[in-house]
Amino acid sequence: MTRSHALFILMLSTALPQMALAQAPEAQSGDADILVTGRAEKLYRATDTEIGRGSSDPLDIPQSVQVITSELIRDQGARDITDLYRNVAGISASQYATVTYRGFRQDGNFYDGMRGDPFQGFAVPSLFSIERVEFLKGPVGMLYGASAPGGMINYVTKKPQDEFAASLRGIVGNYDRYGGSGEITGPIDKDGVLTGRAGAFYEHVGTVQRNSDTSSLVLDGGLGVKIGPDTKMTVQLTRYEQDLAGRLRGIPIDEDGNFLADRTWNHLEPSDYMKLNGTVAQMRLDHKASDALSFNLSSRWFRYKEDQDYHEPRPVSDTDGDGVPDTVTREFRRQHRNIEGVTIAANMIAHVQTGPLRHTIAAGGDWYWQQSLFDGVSTRAGVPPLSLTNPVYGLVPVGGYDLSNGSVERSDTRSHRYGLYAQDQIDWGRFTLVGGVRQDWFDDADPVTNTAKTSGKRTSWRTGGIYKPMQRVSLYASYSQSFEPQDPSRQSASVGGPFAPVASRQVEIGAKGELLGGKLQPTIALYRIVRRGIVQVDPDLAPINGVDQMSPIGEVTSKGIELTLAADITRDWVLTANYAYNDARITDSAPGAAIDNSVGGRFPNAPDHQAGFWTRYQIPAIDAAFAFGGQYVSGQLARSGAHMKGFTVFDGSVTKGLGFADLMIRIENIFDKTYATSAFDARRGAFVGRARTVFAELRVNL
């Protein structure tokens, strides 16, 4: 952490109590109390989301929607998105920020409904500047354009608020964990024309593995301006910095999923590093022309840089001849990434009455451009191997490697996406019909690798219906589509290209409800997704000029069921739970050909079963709350074909009001279980699950 960063946090922590005193009359609302006497509907359940293009009740969206609220993020002490997967049916960890979503591997996230992810490399999105995380499941091509078939993750950022609020937090725990944060928001002038927000977060934490720790810094600010009674502009600026030990891979495993080394083993040297920094600037203009018509215009710019020196594991070997691998060969890599992108989006929402029909019409478009530069060099010459049982680090300094004859890799990928959409939601008594269409255009190029520019377009549809037998119960069915442009490397005319995008379609039926006055909130969704047009080498086509010809003949089908529940067991006892079953497999393929990221007819890091729960009980008499949660993930495949064992882990927390502050003590992986969350291939092994961690967090709300 630089001196300027430390000075910023010090100034913020000094200003918070002074501003709290100035706002003392407004600060007596009781927001500092840890006890929440409202039901789960208010604690962990969102009643409004913009993920369907326009503010909507999740009960009025004919697709499965799940929202992780700020209250749940706070109660679980979550720091990044991986801390939240256990709460979401149908999502499991894959690699870094990549997830398996309804059986499909995907990365790339949306922020306030826009593209522009500053965590595209090997970092994981921080939650400090995030108000809530929204999950819209299944294809979303009609709403957001090119996207993976499993669904989308949308991060809703914290904005300046009209009411004063401020907080300070400090944290300390095992594995050398320490840090703190401060936030303040509220009106700047007495008339409330200007509102502001400022926040700073810093945390350092290690892991159970040697030579592995992370330092994260987030600086976040925003300004709201009421241009008129019905017009408001909000601008935001966020800075991210992460200092990691290096690109952390997994530990090698055998065919039965057993680690070949102790979980403290690590392929990285103490000198390895990965430094990440990103800057995001965002603007949104909202205008309400009338009760029936509103507009918003937004833009998002980001730049993400990554510099790393690290040792990459290569195949394991048996050096003592006992038939058990005991050594990992390695290569050294020095890499630089520079990613920049910008989004512009506009949306219109209109409410129109035609006889007994109430129309909610959403229309708009978005434009996105991104450039990704990569420059890397690697070498195996002079890089010492590493024992799996008795690793010795620092045998050869990095400065001793000869990179002049190393393998060089460079690229300059430029992507362009833009589209227009229109959707009509028609309400008629107990029935709701939704229909929409979107037209997208895209192009990709890489002048450094001489990849020819490829372009195309795609039309996506979405339709659905909702029937409400009761006011707060929705029975729904929907059909939706999405698409993904083909990899530019497979679009060459020499292999039979260009090819149409990979297309996905989903049929989903389900039910959502709020029963017993909102005390019981169950959901169920059944879905079937078919992903077609995956390019493969076609054995029925003769090679041309010695080059194998390709065809879009690959197909994958994913089907499953998801259940979630939020419940008020009593006034002081709330529960959330989820379960998902998924079966994703190849249903059409060229004989003898493989589909990317597949193992036989199945896919790695795609468990059949997963479940999670979180329950919280508060005791007002002692001003305390007790929470307990768990996660189950069934066995899954590694890319090597190894069968990874399933796992079940538990965590808990105790929160105590101290009058001037709240103190939370949290334990993760209570029984210190050794397990793998997901895996790479044979040489890069499996990711180690988090060991038992204990931390205390002191929260002061002003």
Side-chain angles (χ1 to χ4, degrees), residues 290-406:
S290 67
D291 291 339
L293 186 63
S294 61
F295 305 88
N296 64 70
L297 174 67
S298 54
S299 64
R300 179 179 174 88
W301 170 86
F302 79 98
R303 176 176 290 165
Y304 171 88
K305 294 183 178 181
E306 178 182 278
D307 299 298
Q308 56 185 338
D309 278 13
Y310 75 100
H311 289 73
E312 173 78 1
R314 305 304 302 178
V316 296
S317 59
D318 174 16
T319 60
D320 58 12
D322 64 356
V324 178
D326 55 32
T327 302
V328 173
T329 56
R330 299 180 297 171
E331 70 180 27
F332 175 75
R333 294 180 177 180
R334 176 166 291 163
Q335 298 178 345
H336 308 278
R337 288 177 174 82
N338 192 337
I339 303 174
E340 184 176 6
V342 62
T343 294
I344 300 174
N347 300 282
M348 177 205 73
I349 306 295
H351 301 278
V352 180
Q353 187 87 25
T354 57
L357 306 180
R358 300 189 310 275
H359 299 262
T360 301
I361 300 171
D366 48 65
W367 178 92
Y368 179 67
W369 172 87
Q370 177 178 297
Q371 181 179 27
S372 302
L373 299 171
F374 174 79
D375 189 353
V377 60
S378 62
T379 184
R380 301 185 193 179
V383 181
L386 193 67
S387 169
L388 287 170
T389 57
N390 186 30
V392 179
Y393 300 97
L395 294 177
V396 178
V398 170
Y401 299 152
D402 182 9
L403 297 177
S404 61
N405 295 316

Side-chain angles (χ1 to χ4, degrees), residues 61-75:
I61 298 176
Q63 277 182 251
S64 180
V65 177
Q66 194 167 347
V67 179
I68 304 300
T69 64
S70 59
E71 291 83 5
L72 186 55
I73 293 172
R74 177 201 63 200
D75 285 353

Side-chain angles (χ1 to χ4, degrees), residues 649-666:
V649 293
F650 298 98
D651 57 341
S653 68
V654 177
T655 306
K656 179 69 174 71
L658 305 177
F660 69 96
D662 299 337
L663 175 65
M664 182 181 73
I665 299 176
R666 178 164 167 77

Side-chain angles (χ1 to χ4, degrees), residues 608-657:
D608 292 337
H609 304 273
Q610 58 188 93
F613 75 93
W614 175 261
T615 184
R616 181 178 185 269
Y617 184 76
Q618 58 191 26
I619 305 176
I622 61 173
D623 198 14
F626 300 85
F628 181 67
Q631 179 187 26
Y632 165 74
V633 176
S634 67
Q636 50 191 320
L637 291 174
R639 288 188 185 180
S640 62
H643 292 270
M644 297 167 54
K645 296 179 174 65
F647 62 88
T648 304
V649 293
F650 298 98
D651 57 341
S653 68
V654 177
T655 306
K656 179 69 174 71

Side-chain angles (χ1 to χ4, degrees), residues 377-459:
V377 60
S378 62
T379 184
R380 301 185 193 179
V383 181
L386 193 67
S387 169
L388 287 170
T389 57
N390 186 30
V392 179
Y393 300 97
L395 294 177
V396 178
V398 170
Y401 299 152
D402 182 9
L403 297 177
S404 61
N405 295 316
S407 176
V408 176
E409 182 180 357
R410 294 187 176 91
S411 64
D412 180 3
T413 305
R414 303 177 186 183
S415 301
H416 191 195
R417 308 278 186 269
Y418 55 101
L420 299 170
Y421 78 93
Q423 175 181 271
D424 188 8
Q425 175 179 309
I426 305 172
D427 293 296
W428 179 43
R430 296 178 182 270
F431 295 91
T432 298
L433 297 177
V434 177
V437 62
R438 178 182 171 111
Q439 180 66 49
D440 277 284
W441 296 265
F442 58 88
D443 58 72
D444 299 283
D446 188 340
V448 171
T449 60
N450 294 320
T451 300
K453 181 177 180 179
T454 61
S455 59
K457 61 182 181 179
R458 187 76 183 186
T459 303

